[in-house]
Coordinates of all heavy atoms in Angstrom, one line a residue:
M277 N 89.1 -58.4 -88.0 CA 89.6 -59.7 -87.5 C 89.3 -59.9 -86.1 O 89.3 -61.0 -85.6 CB 91.1 -59.7 -87.8 CG 91.5 -60.0 -89.2 SD 90.7 -61.6 -89.7 CE 91.4 -61.9 -91.2
E278 N 89.2 -58.8 -85.3 CA 88.9 -58.9 -83.9 C 87.6 -59.7 -83.6 O 87.5 -60.4 -82.6 CB 88.8 -57.5 -83.2 CG 88.8 -57.5 -81.7 CD 90.1 -58.0 -81.1 OE1 91.1 -57.9 -81.7 OE2 90.0 -58.5 -80.0
Q279 N 86.7 -59.6 -84.5 CA 85.4 -60.3 -84.4 C 85.6 -61.9 -84.5 O 84.8 -62.6 -83.9 CB 84.4 -59.9 -85.4 CG 83.8 -58.5 -85.2 CD 82.8 -58.1 -86.2 OE1 83.0 -58.4 -87.4 NE2 81.8 -57.4 -85.8
L280 N 86.6 -62.3 -85.1 CA 86.9 -63.7 -85.3 C 87.7 -64.3 -84.1 O 87.8 -65.6 -84.0 CB 87.6 -64.0 -86.6 CG 86.9 -63.7 -87.9 CD1 87.8 -64.0 -89.1 CD2 85.6 -64.5 -88.0
K281 N 88.2 -63.5 -83.2 CA 89.0 -64.0 -82.1 C 88.3 -65.0 -81.3 O 88.9 -66.1 -80.9 CB 89.6 -62.8 -81.3 CG 90.5 -63.3 -80.2 CD 91.3 -62.2 -79.6 CE 92.2 -62.6 -78.5 NZ 92.4 -64.0 -78.2
P282 N 87.0 -64.8 -80.8 CA 86.4 -65.8 -80.0 C 86.2 -67.1 -80.7 O 86.4 -68.2 -80.1 CB 85.0 -65.2 -79.7 CG 85.2 -63.7 -79.9 CD 86.2 -63.6 -81.0
L283 N 86.0 -67.1 -82.0 CA 85.8 -68.4 -82.7 C 87.2 -69.0 -82.9 O 87.4 -70.3 -82.7 CB 85.2 -68.2 -84.1 CG 84.8 -69.4 -84.9 CD1 83.9 -70.4 -84.1 CD2 84.2 -69.1 -86.2
S284 N 88.2 -68.2 -83.2 CA 89.6 -68.7 -83.3 C 90.1 -69.3 -81.9 O 90.7 -70.4 -81.9 CB 90.5 -67.6 -83.7 OG 91.8 -68.1 -83.8
D285 N 89.7 -68.7 -80.8 CA 90.1 -69.2 -79.5 C 89.4 -70.5 -79.2 O 90.0 -71.4 -78.7 CB 89.7 -68.2 -78.4 CG 90.6 -66.9 -78.4 OD1 91.7 -66.9 -79.1 OD2 90.2 -65.9 -77.8
F286 N 88.1 -70.6 -79.7 CA 87.4 -71.8 -79.5 C 88.0 -73.0 -80.3 O 88.2 -74.1 -79.7 CB 85.9 -71.6 -79.9 CG 85.1 -72.9 -79.8 CD1 84.8 -73.4 -78.6 CD2 84.6 -73.5 -81.0 CE1 84.0 -74.6 -78.5 CE2 83.8 -74.6 -80.9 CZ 83.5 -75.2 -79.7
F287 N 88.4 -72.7 -81.5 CA 89.1 -73.8 -82.3 C 90.4 -74.2 -81.7 O 90.7 -75.4 -81.7 CB 89.3 -73.3 -83.8 CG 88.0 -73.5 -84.6 CD1 87.3 -72.4 -85.1 CD2 87.6 -74.8 -84.9 CE1 86.2 -72.6 -85.9 CE2 86.4 -75.0 -85.7 CZ 85.8 -73.9 -86.2
T288 N 91.1 -73.3 -81.2 CA 92.4 -73.6 -80.5 C 92.1 -74.5 -79.3 O 92.8 -75.5 -79.1 CB 93.1 -72.3 -80.1 OG1 93.4 -71.6 -81.2 CG2 94.4 -72.7 -79.3
A289 N 91.1 -74.1 -78.5 CA 90.7 -74.9 -77.3 C 90.2 -76.3 -77.6 O 90.5 -77.2 -76.8 CB 89.7 -74.1 -76.5
I290 N 89.5 -76.5 -78.7 CA 89.0 -77.8 -79.0 C 89.9 -78.7 -79.8 O 89.5 -79.9 -80.1 CB 87.6 -77.7 -79.7 CG1 87.7 -77.1 -81.1 CG2 86.6 -77.0 -78.8 CD1 86.5 -77.2 -82.0
E291 N 91.0 -78.2 -80.2 CA 91.9 -78.9 -81.1 C 92.2 -80.3 -80.7 O 92.2 -81.3 -81.5 CB 93.2 -78.1 -81.2 CG 94.1 -78.5 -82.4 CD 95.2 -77.6 -82.6 OE1 95.0 -76.3 -82.5 OE2 96.3 -78.1 -82.8
Q292 N 92.4 -80.5 -79.4 CA 92.7 -81.9 -78.9 C 91.5 -82.5 -78.1 O 91.7 -83.5 -77.5 CB 93.9 -81.8 -78.0 CG 95.2 -81.3 -78.6 CD 95.6 -82.2 -79.8 OE1 95.6 -83.4 -79.7 NE2 96.1 -81.5 -80.9
D293 N 90.3 -81.9 -78.3 CA 89.1 -82.4 -77.5 C 88.3 -83.3 -78.4 O 87.5 -82.8 -79.2 CB 88.3 -81.2 -77.0 CG 87.3 -81.6 -76.0 OD1 86.9 -82.8 -76.0 OD2 86.8 -80.8 -75.2
G294 N 88.4 -84.6 -78.3 CA 87.7 -85.5 -79.2 C 86.2 -85.6 -78.9 O 85.4 -86.2 -79.6
R295 N 85.8 -84.9 -77.8 CA 84.3 -84.9 -77.5 C 83.5 -84.0 -78.3 O 82.3 -84.1 -78.4 CB 84.1 -84.5 -76.0 CG 84.9 -85.4 -75.0 CD 84.8 -84.8 -73.6 NE 85.6 -83.5 -73.6 CZ 85.7 -82.7 -72.5 NH1 85.3 -83.1 -71.4 NH2 86.4 -81.6 -72.6
I296 N 84.2 -83.0 -79.0 CA 83.5 -82.0 -79.7 C 83.2 -82.5 -81.2 O 84.1 -82.9 -81.9 CB 84.3 -80.7 -79.7 CG1 84.5 -80.2 -78.3 CG2 83.7 -79.6 -80.6 CD1 83.3 -79.8 -77.6
S297 N 82.0 -82.4 -81.5 CA 81.5 -82.8 -82.9 C 81.3 -81.5 -83.7 O 81.3 -80.4 -83.2 CB 80.3 -83.6 -82.8 OG 79.2 -82.8 -82.5
I298 N 81.0 -81.8 -85.0 CA 80.6 -80.7 -85.9 C 79.4 -79.9 -85.4 O 79.2 -78.7 -85.6 CB 80.5 -81.2 -87.4 CG1 80.4 -80.0 -88.4 CG2 79.3 -82.1 -87.5 CD1 81.6 -79.2 -88.5
T299 N 78.5 -80.7 -84.8 CA 77.3 -80.0 -84.3 C 77.6 -79.1 -83.1 O 77.0 -78.0 -83.1 CB 76.2 -81.1 -83.8 OG1 76.1 -82.0 -84.9 CG2 74.9 -80.5 -83.5
H300 N 78.5 -79.5 -82.3 CA 78.9 -78.6 -81.2 C 79.5 -77.3 -81.8 O 79.3 -76.2 -81.3 CB 80.0 -79.2 -80.3 CG 79.5 -80.4 -79.5 ND1 79.6 -81.7 -79.9 CD2 78.9 -80.4 -78.3 CE1 79.1 -82.4 -78.9 NE2 78.7 -81.7 -77.9
I301 N 80.4 -77.5 -82.8 CA 81.0 -76.3 -83.5 C 80.0 -75.4 -84.1 O 80.0 -74.2 -84.0 CB 82.0 -76.8 -84.5 CG1 83.2 -77.6 -83.8 CG2 82.6 -75.7 -85.3 CD1 84.1 -78.3 -84.7
G302 N 79.0 -76.0 -84.8 CA 78.0 -75.2 -85.4 C 77.1 -74.4 -84.4 O 76.8 -73.2 -84.6
I303 N 76.8 -75.0 -83.3 CA 76.0 -74.3 -82.3 C 76.9 -73.3 -81.6 O 76.4 -72.1 -81.4 CB 75.5 -75.4 -81.2 CG1 74.4 -76.2 -81.9 CG2 75.0 -74.6 -80.0 CD1 73.8 -77.3 -81.1
Y304 N 78.2 -73.5 -81.3 CA 79.0 -72.5 -80.8 C 79.1 -71.3 -81.7 O 79.0 -70.1 -81.3 CB 80.4 -73.1 -80.4 CG 81.2 -72.1 -79.5 CD1 81.1 -72.2 -78.1 CD2 82.1 -71.2 -80.1 CE1 81.8 -71.4 -77.3 CE2 82.8 -70.4 -79.3 CZ 82.6 -70.4 -77.9 OH 83.4 -69.6 -77.1
A305 N 79.3 -71.6 -83.0 CA 79.4 -70.5 -84.0 C 78.1 -69.7 -84.0 O 78.1 -68.5 -84.1 CB 79.8 -71.0 -85.3
A306 N 77.0 -70.4 -83.9 CA 75.7 -69.8 -84.0 C 75.5 -68.9 -82.7 O 74.9 -67.8 -82.8 CB 74.5 -70.8 -84.1
L307 N 75.9 -69.4 -81.6 CA 75.9 -68.6 -80.3 C 76.7 -67.3 -80.5 O 76.3 -66.3 -80.0 CB 76.4 -69.4 -79.1 CG 75.5 -70.6 -78.7 CD1 76.2 -71.5 -77.7 CD2 74.2 -70.0 -78.0
L308 N 77.9 -67.4 -81.1 CA 78.7 -66.2 -81.3 C 78.0 -65.3 -82.2 O 78.1 -64.0 -82.0 CB 80.1 -66.6 -81.8 CG 81.0 -67.3 -80.8 CD1 82.3 -67.7 -81.5 CD2 81.3 -66.4 -79.6
E309 N 77.4 -65.8 -83.3 CA 76.7 -64.9 -84.2 C 75.5 -64.2 -83.5 O 75.3 -63.0 -83.7 CB 76.2 -65.7 -85.4 CG 75.3 -64.9 -86.4 CD 75.9 -63.7 -87.0 OE1 77.2 -63.6 -87.0 OE2 75.2 -62.8 -87.4
Y310 N 74.8 -64.9 -82.7 CA 73.7 -64.3 -82.0 C 74.2 -63.3 -81.0 O 73.6 -62.2 -80.9 CB 72.9 -65.4 -81.2 CG 71.6 -64.9 -80.6 CD1 70.5 -64.8 -81.3 CD2 71.6 -64.6 -79.2 CE1 69.3 -64.3 -80.7 CE2 70.5 -64.2 -78.6 CZ 69.3 -64.0 -79.3 OH 68.2 -63.6 -78.7
R311 N 75.3 -63.6 -80.3 CA 75.9 -62.6 -79.4 C 76.3 -61.4 -80.1 O 76.1 -60.3 -79.6 CB 77.1 -63.3 -78.8 CG 77.8 -62.4 -77.8 CD 79.1 -63.0 -77.3 NE 79.7 -62.2 -76.3 CZ 81.0 -62.3 -75.9 NH1 81.7 -63.3 -76.3 NH2 81.5 -61.5 -75.0
A312 N 76.9 -61.5 -81.3 CA 77.2 -60.3 -82.1 C 76.0 -59.5 -82.5 O 76.0 -58.3 -82.4 CB 78.0 -60.7 -83.4
Q313 N 74.9 -60.2 -82.8 CA 73.7 -59.5 -83.2 C 73.1 -58.7 -82.0 O 72.4 -57.7 -82.1 CB 72.6 -60.5 -83.7 CG 72.9 -61.1 -85.0 CD 72.0 -62.2 -85.4 OE1 71.0 -62.4 -84.8 NE2 72.3 -62.9 -86.5
M314 N 73.4 -59.2 -80.8 CA 72.9 -58.6 -79.5 C 73.9 -57.6 -78.9 O 73.8 -57.3 -77.7 CB 72.6 -59.7 -78.5 CG 71.5 -60.7 -78.9 SD 69.9 -59.9 -79.1 CE 69.6 -60.1 -80.8
G315 N 74.9 -57.2 -79.7 CA 75.8 -56.2 -79.2 C 76.9 -56.7 -78.4 O 77.5 -56.0 -77.6
N316 N 77.2 -58.0 -78.5 CA 78.3 -58.7 -77.8 C 78.2 -58.7 -76.3 O 79.1 -58.6 -75.6 CB 79.7 -58.1 -78.2 CG 80.1 -58.5 -79.6 OD1 80.0 -59.7 -79.9 ND2 80.5 -57.6 -80.4
S317 N 76.9 -58.7 -75.9 CA 76.7 -58.8 -74.4 C 77.1 -60.1 -73.8 O 77.2 -61.1 -74.6 CB 75.2 -58.5 -74.1 OG 74.4 -59.5 -74.7
N318 N 77.4 -60.1 -72.6 CA 77.8 -61.3 -71.9 C 77.3 -61.3 -70.5 O 77.7 -60.4 -69.7 CB 79.4 -61.4 -71.8 CG 79.8 -62.8 -71.4 OD1 79.1 -63.8 -71.4 ND2 81.1 -62.9 -71.0
P319 N 76.2 -62.0 -70.2 CA 75.7 -63.2 -71.0 C 74.7 -62.7 -72.0 O 74.3 -61.6 -72.0 CB 75.0 -64.0 -69.9 CG 74.4 -63.0 -69.0 CD 75.5 -61.9 -68.9
I320 N 74.4 -63.7 -72.9 CA 73.3 -63.5 -73.8 C 72.1 -64.2 -73.2 O 72.2 -65.1 -72.5 CB 73.6 -64.0 -75.3 CG1 73.9 -65.5 -75.3 CG2 74.7 -63.2 -75.9 CD1 74.0 -66.1 -76.6
V321 N 70.9 -63.7 -73.6 CA 69.7 -64.4 -73.2 C 69.1 -64.8 -74.5 O 68.8 -64.0 -75.4 CB 68.7 -63.4 -72.4 CG1 67.4 -64.1 -72.1 CG2 69.4 -62.9 -71.1
A322 N 68.9 -66.1 -74.7 CA 68.5 -66.7 -76.0 C 67.5 -67.8 -75.8 O 67.5 -68.5 -74.8 CB 69.7 -67.2 -76.7
F323 N 66.6 -67.9 -76.8 CA 65.7 -69.0 -76.9 C 66.3 -70.0 -77.8 O 67.0 -69.7 -78.8 CB 64.4 -68.5 -77.5 CG 63.6 -67.7 -76.5 CD1 63.7 -66.3 -76.6 CD2 62.8 -68.3 -75.5 CE1 63.0 -65.5 -75.7 CE2 62.1 -67.5 -74.7 CZ 62.2 -66.1 -74.7
S324 N 66.1 -71.3 -77.6 CA 66.7 -72.3 -78.4 C 66.4 -72.2 -79.8 O 67.2 -72.4 -80.7 CB 66.3 -73.7 -77.8 OG 64.9 -73.8 -77.9
Y325 N 65.1 -71.8 -80.1 CA 64.7 -71.7 -81.6 C 65.5 -70.7 -82.3 O 65.7 -70.8 -83.5 CB 63.2 -71.6 -81.7 CG 62.6 -70.4 -81.0 CD1 62.7 -69.1 -81.5 CD2 62.0 -70.6 -79.8 CE1 62.1 -68.0 -80.8 CE2 61.4 -69.5 -79.1 CZ 61.5 -68.3 -79.6 OH 60.9 -67.2 -78.9
D326 N 65.9 -69.6 -81.6 CA 66.7 -68.6 -82.3 C 68.1 -69.1 -82.7 O 68.6 -68.9 -83.8 CB 66.9 -67.4 -81.4 CG 65.6 -66.6 -81.2 OD1 64.8 -66.5 -82.1 OD2 65.5 -66.0 -80.1
I327 N 68.7 -69.8 -81.8 CA 70.1 -70.4 -82.0 C 70.0 -71.5 -83.0 O 70.8 -71.6 -84.0 CB 70.7 -70.9 -80.7 CG1 70.8 -69.8 -79.7 CG2 72.1 -71.4 -81.0 CD1 71.4 -68.5 -80.1
M328 N 68.9 -72.4 -82.9 CA 68.7 -73.5 -83.8 C 68.6 -73.0 -85.3 O 69.1 -73.6 -86.2 CB 67.5 -74.3 -83.4 CG 67.7 -75.1 -82.2 SD 66.2 -75.8 -81.5 CE 65.7 -76.8 -82.9
K329 N 67.9 -71.9 -85.5 CA 67.7 -71.3 -86.8 C 69.0 -70.9 -87.4 O 69.3 -71.2 -88.6 CB 66.8 -70.1 -86.7 CG 66.4 -69.5 -88.0 CD 65.4 -68.4 -87.9 CE 65.1 -67.7 -89.2 NZ 64.2 -66.6 -89.1
I330 N 69.9 -70.2 -86.6 CA 71.2 -69.8 -87.1 C 72.1 -71.0 -87.4 O 72.8 -71.0 -88.4 CB 71.9 -68.8 -86.1 CG1 71.0 -67.6 -85.9 CG2 73.3 -68.5 -86.5 CD1 71.5 -66.7 -84.7
A331 N 72.0 -72.0 -86.5 CA 72.9 -73.2 -86.6 C 72.4 -74.2 -87.7 O 73.1 -75.1 -88.0 CB 73.0 -73.9 -85.3
K332 N 71.2 -73.9 -88.2 CA 70.6 -74.8 -89.2 C 70.4 -76.2 -88.6 O 70.6 -77.2 -89.3 CB 71.4 -74.9 -90.5 CG 71.7 -73.5 -91.1 CD 70.6 -73.1 -92.0 CE 71.1 -71.9 -92.8 NZ 70.0 -71.0 -93.0
I333 N 69.9 -76.3 -87.4 CA 69.5 -77.6 -86.9 C 68.1 -77.6 -86.5 O 67.5 -76.6 -86.1 CB 70.4 -78.1 -85.6 CG1 70.2 -77.1 -84.5 CG2 71.8 -78.2 -86.0 CD1 70.8 -77.6 -83.2
S334 N 67.4 -78.8 -86.6 CA 66.0 -78.8 -86.4 C 65.6 -79.5 -85.1 O 64.4 -79.5 -84.8 CB 65.3 -79.4 -87.6 OG 65.8 -80.7 -87.9
S335 N 66.5 -80.2 -84.5 CA 66.1 -81.0 -83.3 C 66.5 -80.2 -82.0 O 67.6 -80.0 -81.8 CB 66.9 -82.3 -83.4 OG 66.8 -83.0 -82.1
A336 N 65.4 -80.0 -81.2 CA 65.6 -79.3 -80.0 C 66.5 -80.2 -79.0 O 67.3 -79.7 -78.2 CB 64.3 -79.0 -79.3
M337 N 66.3 -81.5 -79.2 CA 67.0 -82.5 -78.3 C 68.5 -82.4 -78.6 O 69.4 -82.3 -77.7 CB 66.6 -83.9 -78.6 CG 67.2 -84.9 -77.6 SD 66.7 -86.6 -77.9 CE 64.9 -86.5 -77.6
T338 N 68.9 -82.3 -79.9 CA 70.3 -82.1 -80.3 C 70.9 -80.8 -79.8 O 72.0 -80.7 -79.2 CB 70.4 -82.2 -81.8 OG1 70.0 -83.5 -82.2 CG2 71.9 -82.0 -82.3
Y339 N 70.1 -79.7 -79.9 CA 70.5 -78.4 -79.4 C 70.8 -78.5 -77.9 O 71.9 -78.1 -77.5 CB 69.5 -77.3 -79.7 CG 69.7 -76.1 -79.0 CD1 70.6 -75.1 -79.5 CD2 69.1 -75.8 -77.8 CE1 70.9 -74.0 -78.7 CE2 69.4 -74.6 -77.1 CZ 70.3 -73.7 -77.6 OH 70.6 -72.6 -76.9
H340 N 69.9 -79.0 -77.2 CA 70.0 -79.0 -75.7 C 71.2 -79.9 -75.3 O 71.9 -79.5 -74.4 CB 68.7 -79.4 -75.0 CG 67.7 -78.3 -75.1 ND1 67.8 -77.1 -74.5 CD2 66.5 -78.3 -75.8 CE1 66.7 -76.4 -74.7 NE2 66.0 -77.0 -75.6
K341 N 71.4 -81.0 -75.9 CA 72.5 -81.9 -75.6 C 73.8 -81.2 -75.8 O 74.7 -81.2 -75.0 CB 72.4 -83.2 -76.4 CG 73.6 -84.1 -76.1 CD 73.8 -85.2 -77.2 CE 74.9 -86.1 -76.9 NZ 76.2 -85.5 -76.7
C342 N 73.9 -80.6 -77.0 CA 75.2 -79.9 -77.4 C 75.5 -78.7 -76.5 O 76.6 -78.5 -76.1 CB 75.2 -79.5 -78.8 SG 75.4 -80.9 -79.9
V343 N 74.5 -77.9 -76.1 CA 74.7 -76.8 -75.3 C 75.1 -77.2 -73.9 O 76.0 -76.7 -73.2 CB 73.4 -75.8 -75.3 CG1 73.5 -74.8 -74.2 CG2 73.3 -75.2 -76.6
K344 N 74.4 -78.3 -73.4 CA 74.8 -78.8 -72.1 C 76.2 -79.4 -72.1 O 76.9 -79.2 -71.1 CB 73.8 -79.9 -71.7 CG 72.4 -79.4 -71.3 CD 71.5 -80.5 -70.9 CE 70.1 -79.9 -70.7 NZ 69.1 -81.0 -70.5
D345 N 76.6 -80.0 -73.2 CA 77.9 -80.5 -73.3 C 78.9 -79.4 -73.3 O 79.9 -79.4 -72.6 CB 78.1 -81.3 -74.7 CG 77.5 -82.7 -74.7 OD1 77.0 -83.2 -73.6 OD2 77.4 -83.2 -75.8
L346 N 78.7 -78.4 -74.1 CA 79.6 -77.2 -74.2 C 79.8 -76.6 -72.8 O 80.9 -76.2 -72.4 CB 79.1 -76.2 -75.2 CG 79.2 -76.6 -76.6 CD1 78.4 -75.6 -77.5 CD2 80.7 -76.6 -77.1
S347 N 78.7 -76.6 -72.0 CA 78.7 -76.0 -70.7 C 79.5 -77.0 -69.7 O 80.4 -76.5 -69.0 CB 77.3 -75.8 -70.1 OG 77.4 -75.2 -68.9
A348 N 79.2 -78.3 -69.8 CA 79.9 -79.2 -69.0 C 81.4 -79.3 -69.3 O 82.2 -79.5 -68.4 CB 79.3 -80.6 -69.2
Y349 N 81.8 -79.1 -70.5 CA 83.2 -79.1 -70.9 C 83.9 -77.8 -70.7 O 85.1 -77.6 -70.9 CB 83.4 -79.4 -72.4 CG 82.7 -80.7 -72.9 CD1 82.4 -80.9 -74.2 CD2 82.4 -81.8 -72.0 CE1 81.8 -82.1 -74.6 CE2 81.8 -82.9 -72.4 CZ 81.5 -83.1 -73.7 OH 80.9 -84.3 -74.1
G350 N 83.2 -76.8 -70.2 CA 83.8 -75.5 -69.8 C 83.9 -74.4 -70.9 O 84.6 -73.4 -70.7
Y351 N 83.3 -74.7 -72.1 CA 83.4 -73.7 -73.2 C 82.5 -72.5 -73.1 O 82.7 -71.4 -73.6 CB 83.3 -74.4 -74.5 CG 84.3 -75.4 -74.8 CD1 84.1 -76.8 -74.8 CD2 85.7 -75.0 -75.0 CE1 85.1 -77.7 -75.0 CE2 86.7 -76.0 -75.2 CZ 86.4 -77.3 -75.2 OH 87.3 -78.2 -75.4
I352 N 81.3 -72.8 -72.4 CA 80.4 -71.7 -72.1 C 79.8 -72.1 -70.7 O 80.1 -73.2 -70.1 CB 79.2 -71.7 -73.1 CG1 78.4 -73.1 -73.1 CG2 79.6 -71.3 -74.4 CD1 77.1 -73.0 -73.9
R353 N 79.0 -71.2 -70.1 CA 78.2 -71.5 -68.9 C 76.8 -71.3 -69.3 O 76.4 -70.2 -69.7 CB 78.6 -70.6 -67.8 CG 78.0 -71.1 -66.5 CD 78.5 -70.4 -65.2 NE 77.6 -69.3 -64.9 CZ 77.9 -68.1 -64.6 NH1 79.2 -67.8 -64.5 NH2 77.0 -67.2 -64.3
Y354 N 76.0 -72.4 -69.2 CA 74.6 -72.4 -69.6 C 73.7 -72.4 -68.4 O 73.8 -73.3 -67.6 CB 74.4 -73.6 -70.5 CG 73.0 -73.9 -70.9 CD1 72.2 -73.0 -71.6 CD2 72.4 -75.1 -70.6 CE1 70.9 -73.3 -72.0 CE2 71.1 -75.5 -71.0 CZ 70.4 -74.5 -71.7 OH 69.1 -74.8 -72.1
E355 N 72.8 -71.5 -68.3 CA 71.8 -71.4 -67.3 C 70.4 -71.5 -67.9 O 69.9 -70.5 -68.3 CB 71.9 -70.2 -66.4 CG 73.2 -70.1 -65.6 CD 73.4 -68.9 -64.8 OE1 72.4 -68.0 -64.8 OE2 74.4 -68.7 -64.1
P356 N 69.8 -72.7 -68.0 CA 68.5 -72.8 -68.6 C 67.4 -72.1 -67.7 O 67.5 -72.1 -66.5 CB 68.2 -74.3 -68.6 CG 69.2 -74.9 -67.6 CD 70.3 -74.0 -67.5
S357 N 66.5 -71.5 -68.4 CA 65.4 -70.8 -67.7 C 64.3 -71.7 -67.3 O 63.6 -71.4 -66.3 CB 64.9 -69.6 -68.5 OG 64.1 -70.1 -69.6
F358 N 64.0 -72.8 -68.0 CA 62.9 -73.7 -67.8 C 61.6 -72.9 -67.8 O 60.6 -73.4 -67.2 CB 63.0 -74.4 -66.4 CG 64.3 -75.2 -66.3 CD1 65.3 -74.8 -65.5 CD2 64.4 -76.4 -67.0 CE1 66.5 -75.6 -65.4 CE2 65.6 -77.1 -67.0 CZ 66.6 -76.7 -66.1
N359 N 61.5 -71.8 -68.5 CA 60.3 -71.0 -68.7 C 60.2 -70.7 -70.2 O 61.1 -70.0 -70.7 CB 60.4 -69.8 -67.8 CG 59.2 -68.9 -67.9 OD1 58.5 -68.8 -68.9 ND2 59.0 -68.1 -66.9
K360 N 59.2 -71.1 -70.8 CA 59.0 -70.9 -72.3 C 58.9 -69.4 -72.7 O 59.1 -69.0 -73.8 CB 57.8 -71.6 -72.8 CG 56.5 -71.1 -72.4 CD 55.4 -71.9 -73.0 CE 54.0 -71.3 -72.6 NZ 52.9 -72.0 -73.3
N361 N 58.7 -68.5 -71.7 CA 58.6 -67.1 -72.0 C 59.9 -66.3 -71.6 O 59.9 -65.1 -71.8 CB 57.4 -66.5 -71.2 CG 56.1 -67.1 -71.6 OD1 55.8 -67.2 -72.8 ND2 55.3 -67.5 -70.6
R362 N 60.9 -67.0 -71.2 CA 62.1 -66.4 -70.8 C 63.3 -67.2 -71.4 O 63.4 -68.4 -71.2 CB 62.3 -66.3 -69.3 CG 63.4 -65.4 -68.8 CD 63.5 -65.3 -67.3 NE 62.2 -65.4 -66.6 CZ 62.0 -66.1 -65.5 NH1 63.0 -66.6 -64.9 NH2 60.8 -66.1 -64.9
G363 N 64.2 -66.5 -72.1 CA 65.3 -67.2 -72.7 C 66.3 -67.7 -71.6 O 66.3 -67.2 -70.5
S364 N 67.1 -68.6 -72.0 CA 68.2 -69.1 -71.1 C 69.4 -68.2 -71.2 O 69.6 -67.5 -72.2 CB 68.6 -70.5 -71.5 OG 67.5 -71.4 -71.4
K365 N 70.2 -68.1 -70.1 CA 71.4 -67.3 -70.1 C 72.6 -68.2 -70.5 O 72.7 -69.3 -70.1 CB 71.7 -66.7 -68.7 CG 70.7 -65.6 -68.3 CD 71.1 -65.1 -67.0 CE 70.1 -64.0 -66.6 NZ 70.5 -63.5 -65.2
I366 N 73.4 -67.6 -71.4 CA 74.6 -68.2 -71.9 C 75.8 -67.3 -71.7 O 75.8 -66.2 -72.3 CB 74.5 -68.7 -73.3 CG1 73.3 -69.7 -73.4 CG2 75.8 -69.3 -73.8 CD1 72.9 -70.1 -74.8
Y367 N 76.7 -67.7 -70.9 CA 77.9 -66.9 -70.6 C 79.1 -67.4 -71.4 O 79.2 -68.6 -71.5 CB 78.3 -67.0 -69.1 CG 77.2 -66.4 -68.1 CD1 76.1 -67.1 -67.8 CD2 77.4 -65.1 -67.6 CE1 75.2 -66.6 -66.9 CE2 76.5 -64.6 -66.7 CZ 75.4 -65.4 -66.4 OH 74.4 -64.9 -65.5
F368 N 79.9 -66.5 -71.8 CA 81.1 -66.8 -72.6 C 82.3 -66.5 -71.7 O 82.3 -65.6 -70.8 CB 81.2 -66.0 -73.9 CG 80.1 -66.3 -74.9 CD1 78.9 -65.7 -74.8 CD2 80.3 -67.3 -75.8 CE1 77.9 -66.0 -75.7 CE2 79.4 -67.6 -76.7 CZ 78.1 -67.0 -76.7
P369 N 83.4 -67.3 -71.9 CA 84.6 -67.0 -71.2 C 85.0 -65.5 -71.3 O 84.9 -64.9 -72.4 CB 85.7 -67.9 -71.8 CG 84.9 -69.0 -72.4 CD 83.6 -68.3 -72.9
E370 N 85.6 -64.9 -70.3 CA 85.9 -63.5 -70.4 C 86.9 -63.1 -71.5 O 86.9 -62.1 -72.0 CB 86.5 -63.0 -69.0 CG 85.4 -62.9 -67.9 CD 84.2 -62.0 -68.3 OE1 84.5 -60.9 -68.9 OE2 83.1 -62.4 -68.1
S371 N 87.8 -64.1 -71.8 CA 88.8 -63.8 -72.8 C 88.2 -63.6 -74.2 O 88.8 -63.1 -75.1 CB 89.8 -64.9 -72.9 OG 89.2 -66.1 -73.2
D372 N 86.9 -64.1 -74.3 CA 86.2 -64.0 -75.6 C 85.6 -62.6 -75.8 O 85.0 -62.3 -76.8 CB 85.0 -65.0 -75.7 CG 85.6 -66.4 -76.0 OD1 86.8 -66.6 -76.2 OD2 84.8 -67.3 -76.0
G373 N 85.7 -61.7 -74.8 CA 85.1 -60.4 -74.9 C 85.7 -59.6 -75.9 O 85.2 -58.6 -76.4

């Protein structure tokens, strides 16, 4: 059950946040799954296509919009690499550790 705490905390945080859509939720869940696959490191270094595959979305534009939104709203901290050979850094709140 401890593995579900970050997702549970996220759902609690977004309960009253009308800005969050199902796509945001899917991407956040995919980020958590990727993080678990990477040994729960914080930050994770990820390529958009890796997260998009887990989240089952095909539009890079949608991915980037939602990740930027999640960062702007304070649910994650997103540091894009702007380099196709280097993944972007995504930080999770410390309480999600």
Side-chain angles (χ1 to χ4, degrees):
M277 281 304 186
E278 189 67 26
Q279 288 179 321
L280 294 177
K281 185 169 178 9
L283 188 58
S284 179
D285 290 347
F286 177 68
F287 277 113
T288 300
I290 66 168
E291 197 171 315
Q292 300 298 320
D293 192 341
R295 304 169 295 182
I296 300 296
S297 71
I298 189 66
T299 308
H300 292 96
I301 294 168
I303 289 173
Y304 193 86
L307 288 168
L308 289 175
E309 173 59 21
Y310 186 82
R311 181 183 181 195
Q313 292 173 7
M314 298 296 116
N316 287 312
S317 60
N318 194 16
I320 58 172
V321 177
F323 291 94
S324 58
Y325 55 81
D326 289 328
I327 306 305
M328 290 168 57
K329 183 177 178 182
I330 297 168
K332 306 272 190 216
I333 61 170
S334 57
S335 170
M337 186 182 297
T338 299
Y339 168 81
H340 289 292
K341 179 196 179 305
C342 287
V343 169
K344 287 177 187 175
D345 287 349
L346 288 168
S347 185
Y349 304 158
Y351 297 110
I352 60 172
R353 191 170 95 224
Y354 172 60
E355 293 180 0
S357 72
F358 301 109
N359 180 333
K360 68 178 183 174
N361 297 315
R362 190 176 331 139
S364 297
K365 288 184 180 178
I366 300 171
Y367 295 81
F368 293 86
E370 288 303 317
S371 63
D372 285 356

